[in-house]
Amino acid sequence: ARMLALKGATVVLACRNLDKGKAALARIQSEQPRGSATLAALDLSDLDSGAGFAADFAAAHERLDLLINNAGVMVPPL
Protein backbone atom coordinates (compact mmCIF):
# COMPACT_ATOMS: atom_id res chain seq x y z
CA ALA A 1 0.00 0.00 0.00
CA ARG A 2 2.84 2.36 0.88
CA MET A 3 4.68 1.86 -2.40
CA LEU A 4 1.51 2.15 -4.47
CA ALA A 5 0.64 5.47 -2.79
CA LEU A 6 4.21 6.73 -3.20
CA LYS A 7 4.00 5.92 -6.94
CA GLY A 8 0.78 7.93 -7.30
CA ALA A 9 -2.00 5.40 -6.78
CA THR A 10 -5.21 5.99 -4.85
CA VAL A 11 -5.09 3.38 -2.08
CA VAL A 12 -7.86 2.28 0.27
CA LEU A 13 -6.66 0.44 3.36
CA ALA A 14 -9.54 -1.91 4.18
CA CYS A 15 -8.82 -2.93 7.78
CA ARG A 16 -10.54 -4.98 10.44
CA ASN A 17 -8.55 -3.30 13.22
CA LEU A 18 -8.98 0.46 12.76
CA ASP A 19 -6.32 1.35 15.35
CA LYS A 20 -3.69 -0.58 13.40
CA GLY A 21 -5.09 0.82 10.17
CA LYS A 22 -4.77 4.40 11.47
CA ALA A 23 -1.13 3.75 12.38
CA ALA A 24 -0.40 2.34 8.91
CA LEU A 25 -2.20 5.25 7.26
CA ALA A 26 -0.20 7.77 9.31
CA ARG A 27 3.08 6.10 8.26
CA ILE A 28 2.07 6.27 4.60
CA GLN A 29 0.90 9.87 4.81
CA SER A 30 4.05 10.94 6.67
CA GLU A 31 6.02 10.20 3.50
CA GLN A 32 3.89 12.67 1.50
CA PRO A 33 3.01 10.26 -1.31
CA ARG A 34 2.18 11.44 -4.83
CA GLY A 35 -1.05 9.43 -4.58
CA SER A 36 -3.51 9.21 -1.74
CA ALA A 37 -4.34 6.75 1.00
CA THR A 38 -7.54 6.43 2.99
CA LEU A 39 -8.80 4.02 5.64
CA ALA A 40 -12.04 2.03 5.61
CA ALA A 41 -13.43 -0.54 8.04
CA LEU A 42 -13.82 -4.07 6.67
CA ASP A 43 -14.23 -7.27 8.67
CA LEU A 44 -14.43 -10.17 6.23
CA SER A 45 -15.91 -12.43 8.92
CA ASP A 46 -19.02 -10.19 8.96
CA LEU A 47 -21.19 -10.14 5.81
CA ASP A 48 -22.80 -6.84 6.82
CA SER A 49 -19.36 -5.26 7.11
CA GLY A 50 -18.48 -6.48 3.63
CA ALA A 51 -21.73 -5.18 2.14
CA GLY A 52 -21.29 -1.82 3.86
CA PHE A 53 -17.71 -1.50 2.66
CA ALA A 54 -18.72 -2.36 -0.92
CA ALA A 55 -21.53 0.21 -0.92
CA ASP A 56 -19.30 2.94 0.54
CA PHE A 57 -16.50 2.12 -1.91
CA ALA A 58 -18.84 2.20 -4.92
CA ALA A 59 -20.24 5.56 -3.80
CA ALA A 60 -16.78 7.10 -3.39
CA HIS A 61 -14.88 5.58 -6.33
CA GLU A 62 -15.59 5.29 -10.04
CA ARG A 63 -13.86 1.93 -10.38
CA LEU A 64 -11.54 -0.62 -8.81
CA ASP A 65 -8.39 -1.36 -10.83
CA LEU A 66 -6.51 -3.66 -8.48
CA LEU A 67 -7.35 -5.72 -5.41
CA ILE A 68 -4.55 -7.00 -3.21
CA ASN A 69 -5.49 -9.45 -0.46
CA ASN A 70 -3.43 -10.29 2.58
CA ALA A 71 -4.27 -13.38 4.60
CA GLY A 72 -2.76 -15.06 7.61
CA VAL A 73 -2.11 -18.77 7.76
CA MET A 74 -2.90 -20.87 10.81
CA VAL A 75 -1.24 -24.26 11.10
CA PRO A 76 -2.99 -26.30 13.79
CA PRO A 77 -1.37 -29.48 15.10
CA LEU A 78 -2.12 -32.69 13.16
Side-chain angles (χ1 to χ4, degrees):
R2 179 180 149 268
M3 287 306 295
L4 288 169
L6 287 172
K7 297 287 185 179
T10 298
V11 177
V12 178
L13 301 171
C15 299
R16 178 181 56 208
N17 183 318
L18 290 180
D19 290 333
K20 289 181 180 180
K22 287 175 187 175
L25 180 62
R27 284 192 306 269
I28 292 169
Q29 290 175 335
S30 72
E31 295 189 43
Q32 300 176 337
R34 290 187 306 162
S36 65
T38 58
L39 176 63
L42 175 59
D43 182 349
L44 293 176
S45 69
D46 178 357
L47 292 177
D48 290 334
S49 174
F53 172 84
D56 292 345
F57 184 91
H61 302 278
E62 184 178 314
R63 67 182 195 268
L64 172 66
D65 293 320
L66 181 65
L67 177 64
I68 299 174
N69 297 310
N70 180 23
V73 175
M74 185 176 97
V75 182
L78 295 175

